[in-house]
Amino acid sequence: MDRENSLSASAKTASKPLLRVLQGEAVWPPPVWLMRQAGRYLPEFRALRDKADFMTRCMTPDLATEITLQPIRRYAMDGAILFSDILVLPWALGQSLDFVEGTGPVLEPIRDRAALARLSAQRVAEATAPVRETLRRLAQALPSATTLLGFAGSPFTVACYMVEGGGSREFAVTRDMALNDPALFDALLDLLTETTAEMLIGQIDAGAEAVMLFDSWAGLLPPSQFRKHVIAPTRRIVERLHTARPGVKVIGFPRLAGVMAAEYARETGVDALACDTGADMARIAAEVPATLPLQGNLDPLILKAGGEALTTEARAIRDAMRGRPHIFNLGHGVVPPTPPEHVAALVETVRDVSA
Ligand code: CP3
């Protein structure tokens, strides 16, 4: 990088509180954004929803850009997360995918070698080209203080949906495959690890300033398999990204990992740890390096409830993290019945340091 470029890179970071935290700085008040900040709770999102199905919205740069910007206009969030889905990767690999109203995602399950062989890593770059176009537009459109976040699902969580063929409470078919046909399961995870890293490098080159790995079902695994199927692939992705695009930060979200979260943070090399609703962030803070940024972790149902409880809990989380790098967020996504004015109240509470 020449001198002019490196100066402009640091000038850019200086104006973006979320990027500063990802570099290890304790910014006060902490930057704030919310998982699923673009979603059904917003009337302007519901208005666009009638115009196109979910995958069309993800794959049409006009629509995906507009949906990503909606919560930024309303709340001036510090982070704008690309509007897309973790299941875009299986779709790009060639697996059939439908989002069915009231049911959620439905995929043709991958349960044998023939089904795995029909997937093609070669298709991913071209199939995800519209996502990169969305990121390029967002990089131009966002306010200078807003950090643009790309993302992907972690290999284990994406494999859960691919093998099961949709959502599930326990993902028993997937966990059975991991135990009974480890060669097949490992081949699937390897494919996902490689293509996830490639796809994220593409997102970074298109304008994503940091990326997040969503491992929503990490907590289903016992420790030995957590190390194998969650920590190891995540470490490979983080190493690839750090080597290919030095300086770009990775946020890891091992949901429901409980006591394994600190080990995940230490062993994967992620640059920040996103904490789920059940995590005791003060305890996790004591178990990871003091310079490791933590993200989280207000209960989405407290946000939905609003009122005094919301203000009290939001301040408590913010204040407990004071003095260390912290990004304020929820412990999981915004739920659809959340009143939009509760989100406004939350952002105001986090930013009001007089209280
Ligand atoms: O956070 C954001 O606003 C960015 C966009 C985003 C979506 N999904 C949009 C979406 C992100 C980061 C995701 C991640 C995702 N997708 C995860 C990991 C995070 C988590 O919630 O645990 C998972 C497991 C998925 C898979 C998925 N996508 C499911 C199970 C569903 C259906 C259930 C549901 O919540 O509606 C989706 C659909 C989906 N992805 C919607 C949105 C806004 C809802 C579709 C709609 O309302 O039209």
Side-chain angles (χ1 to χ4, degrees), residues 33-40 45 49 52-54 57-58 67 71 81-87 99-101 103-105 151 153 157 161 167 214-217 253 255 332-333 336:
W33 70 279
L34 306 180
M35 291 186 270
R36 287 284 175 95
Q37 62 191 12
R40 271 172 286 177
F45 178 90
R49 217 173 157 232
D53 65 37
F54 182 72
R57 278 177 274 145
C58 289
I67 293 171
I81 188 159
L82 165 72
F83 183 76
S84 181
D85 198 84
I86 64 166
L87 301 180
F99 281 88
V100 179
E101 190 70 48
T103 306
F151 74 90
T157 285
Y161 287 94
F214 287 85
D215 216 336
S216 306
W217 300 107
F253 181 42
R255 195 169 74 93
H332 201 194

Side-chain angles (χ1 to χ4, degrees), residues 34-94:
L34 306 180
M35 291 186 270
R36 287 284 175 95
Q37 62 191 12
R40 271 172 286 177
Y41 77 103
L42 287 178
E44 59 269 35
F45 178 90
R46 293 196 298 272
L48 275 183
R49 217 173 157 232
D50 300 331
K51 290 201 184 153
D53 65 37
F54 182 72
M55 282 305 283
T56 306
R57 278 177 274 145
C58 289
M59 288 299 153
T60 308
D62 269 350
L63 294 175
T65 303
E66 169 58 26
I67 293 171
T68 304
L69 291 171
Q70 286 174 346
I72 309 303
R73 290 194 197 106
R74 261 188 196 250
Y75 309 113
M77 297 293 188
D78 291 287
I81 188 159
L82 165 72
F83 183 76
S84 181
D85 198 84
I86 64 166
L87 301 180
V88 160
L89 178 58
W91 173 83
L93 284 163

Side-chain angles (χ1 to χ4, degrees), residues 100-312:
V100 179
E101 190 70 48
T103 306
V106 177
L107 303 95
E108 195 183 334
I110 306 286
R111 295 190 185 165
D112 53 33
R113 280 160 183 76
L116 179 63
R118 283 194 290 274
L119 302 178
S120 164
Q122 277 70 49
R123 302 188 44 187
V124 174
E126 196 183 328
T128 56
V131 173
R132 293 189 297 282
E133 174 59 20
T134 301
L135 286 164
R136 281 190 283 273
R137 293 184 191 191
L138 286 167
Q140 294 298 314
L142 283 171
S144 61
T146 314
T147 299
L148 178 54
L149 301 169
F151 74 90
S154 290
F156 176 70
T157 285
V158 174
C160 279
Y161 287 94
M162 293 177 81
V163 173
E164 216 76 22
S168 161
R169 214 161 48 89
E170 295 269 345
F171 290 95
V173 180
T174 311
R175 291 187 294 130
D176 267 339
M177 185 198 283
L179 295 169
N180 297 325
D181 195 346
L184 178 61
F185 192 68
D186 288 351
L188 176 59
L189 281 196
D190 279 347
L191 173 69
L192 291 172
T193 302
E194 286 304 310
T195 49
T196 300
E198 280 306 312
M199 189 177 70
L200 288 175
I201 290 170
Q203 290 187 12
I204 292 161
D205 291 345
E209 297 168 296
V211 295
M212 178 154 162
L213 278 170
F214 287 85
D215 216 336
S216 306
W217 300 107
L220 291 178
L221 295 171
S224 59
Q225 289 187 63
F226 183 91
R227 292 183 181 112
K228 207 162 164 250
H229 301 314
V230 171
I231 291 182
T234 302
R235 182 179 24 218
R236 273 169 64 195
I237 292 170
V238 173
E239 278 171 358
R240 273 287 298 288
L241 297 180
H242 283 166
T243 306
R245 299 296 178 267
V248 176
K249 305 299 184 188
V250 184
I251 306 169
F253 181 42
R255 195 169 74 93
L256 305 175
V259 293
M260 298 301 287
E263 182 174 326
Y264 169 99
R266 289 191 302 266
E267 298 294 325
T268 58
V270 290
D271 302 289
L273 179 69
C275 299
D276 61 56
T277 303
D280 180 349
M281 283 216 297
R283 175 126 48 111
I284 289 180
E287 292 175 10
V288 298
T291 50
L292 185 85
L294 296 182
Q295 176 173 284
N297 76 339
L298 183 77
D299 182 353
L301 294 186
I302 295 182
L303 175 62
K304 177 178 151 239
E308 196 61 37
L310 170 59
T311 316
T312 307

